[in-house]
Amino acid sequence: MSHPFAATKMQTVRLILNDKFIWLLSGAVLLATLLPVQGAAKDIAGILFNAGIFAVFLLHGIRLERHEVRAGLGNVRLQGTIFIWVFGVMLGIGLLLSKALDQVLPADVALGFLFLGVLPSTVQSATSYCAIARGNVAASVVASAFINLVGVFLSPLLFALLASAAGVDITSETIIKLAAILVLPFVLGQTFQKWLRPWVMQHKDLTGWIDRGAIALAVYVSFSAAIIAGMWSRVSGMEFVWLAAALLFWLGLAFGGTWMLGGLMGFARGDRKTLLFSGAQKSVAIGAPLAAIIFAPERAGLVILPLIFYHLAQLFLSAPVAVRLAGDED
């Protein structure tokens, strides 16, 4: 007879190995390190990046059904708690860590902690791991969708307000570009959702790869510019230790804090699991394109360094947590 712990461990390993996004992001970073895009290929990659991100946010607008958001908002207590945690508590942690690490990390990497703090949570992975953990999946879908809908508008605004003190200038040209590449396609997707959504939902594999491919391209282009500018020489081994320690500390606060908060507020077990995965995760799907628009490419690679590592770490951590919670009796 197999030991239950061994079965749980194997399930966790399978979840991690089968998560294509982990391999895609890791591959983008590795490829940028070994073969950074430059010269004429850089211009082509930039065009593909803009087109890809436009497609990603068009698909977000098509997929997100308005009635789902309206229905889910009925659970004001849970949804309000997730919203305040994502754009309040997590933002506060990012701001504090950014200031605390400014003296021990390169300025743009430290700024990346603030950038990470303003981002919404994930959509697909938060919902998937909530389902594996046997949480309130319907509430998770609504929370993730609503947080990302708000995040498209709120994240750039919050970062512009808070980063101005760090010398980051969000110009009118940047705002116009954000609107054209992020907001416009989302609005178009919502507008033509009735006609386009059936086709998109019938071709989930294709549209899923468009999503992941565009995000991986954004990471590849940003990291390539940073590599060419000497990123690995600008971030020392000890600075990577500080970066890793700070991110592990943040992950502990995020996952532990959401779980404890759900208990203190008396949420049902399923709602606590929703709060955990929707509140503790951060979205590279919005973060990578946003950084590429706001910053010059050589800076964007450094700014998203905390985001890339946090995103990969949250996926590795979510798998065993979800499997463990799935075995709990409510």
Side-chain angles (χ1 to χ4, degrees):
M1 181 181 294
S2 61
H3 196 281
F5 176 76
T8 300
K9 188 175 180 180
M10 287 303 299
Q11 187 178 357
T12 300
V13 172
R14 281 197 299 270
L15 279 174
I16 293 172
L17 292 178
N18 290 334
D19 194 324
K20 298 179 180 66
F21 204 32
I22 290 178
W23 299 107
L24 201 58
L25 284 180
S26 302
V29 173
L30 180 61
L31 183 61
T33 301
L34 299 177
L35 191 64
V37 63
Q38 51 190 314
K42 182 179 177 181
D43 296 331
I44 297 172
I47 295 171
L48 291 174
F49 159 75
N50 288 329
I53 296 308
F54 190 97
V56 166
F57 282 88
L58 179 67
L59 289 170
H60 280 335
I62 293 170
R63 290 195 196 103
L64 177 56
E65 291 193 280
R66 292 183 291 276
H67 74 83
E68 286 184 350
V69 175
R70 289 195 296 269
L73 293 180
N75 191 345
V76 176
R77 195 159 170 262
L78 174 60
Q79 300 297 342
T81 302
I82 294 172
F83 184 89
I84 292 171
W85 180 272
V86 171
F87 292 116
V89 178
M90 291 289 272
L91 172 55
I93 295 172
L95 179 60
L96 291 173
L97 285 175
S98 179
K99 290 183 178 296
L101 295 168
D102 190 51
Q103 301 302 314
V104 295
L105 291 177
D108 284 338
V109 178
L111 184 63
F113 280 84
L114 172 60
F115 183 74
L116 178 59
V118 304
L119 296 176
S121 58
T122 59
V123 176
Q124 183 176 349
S125 66
T127 303
S128 298
Y129 284 116
C130 184
I132 293 168
R134 299 178 184 175
N136 186 340
V137 178
S140 179
V141 170
V142 171
S144 298
F146 177 66
I147 288 293
N148 274 266
L149 170 61
V150 174
V152 171
F153 303 92
L154 187 58
S155 292
L157 176 61
L158 288 173
F159 187 72
L161 291 173
L162 294 170
S164 60
V168 177
D169 184 22
I170 309 296
T171 64
S172 58
E173 183 181 346
T174 302
I175 293 172
I176 292 171
K177 192 173 182 181
L178 284 170
I181 297 181
L182 303 186
V183 180
L184 175 61
F186 185 87
V187 172
L188 289 174
Q190 287 280 285
T191 303
F192 297 105
Q193 181 183 87
K194 179 180 178 181
W195 299 278
L196 298 177
R197 194 172 191 276
W199 185 89
V200 169
M201 299 311 291
Q202 287 172 9
H203 298 83
K204 288 184 178 180
D205 288 343
L206 173 62
T207 55
W209 277 111
I210 292 174
D211 267 350
R212 292 189 288 263
I215 296 162
L217 179 61
V219 172
Y220 173 61
V221 171
S222 297
F223 262 78
S224 291
I227 291 294
I228 293 170
M231 182 177 75
W232 296 127
S233 62
R234 292 165 63 187
V235 184
S236 69
M238 183 52 65
E239 286 169 340
F240 270 109
V241 171
W242 278 106
L243 174 63
L247 289 174
L248 289 174
F249 174 71
W250 195 344
L251 280 165
L253 288 179
F255 279 76
T258 48
W259 187 251
M260 289 177 61
L261 179 61
L264 290 172
M265 295 190 67
F267 286 142
R269 195 79 165 175
D271 287 349
R272 286 182 74 183
K273 295 172 183 179
T274 297
L275 174 60
L276 172 67
F277 292 108
S278 295
Q281 296 194 2
K282 284 293 184 179
S283 174
V284 74
I286 288 182
L290 187 59
I293 293 170
I294 292 176
F295 298 99
E298 61 273 9
R299 291 191 67 191
L302 288 171
V303 171
I304 66 172
L305 200 58
L307 168 62
I308 297 301
F309 289 153
Y310 186 97
H311 190 93
L312 290 172
Q314 76 187 8
L315 296 179
F316 279 103
L317 180 58
S318 292
V321 169
V323 171
R324 178 66 181 271
L325 291 176
D328 289 351
E329 293 292 335
D330 290 347

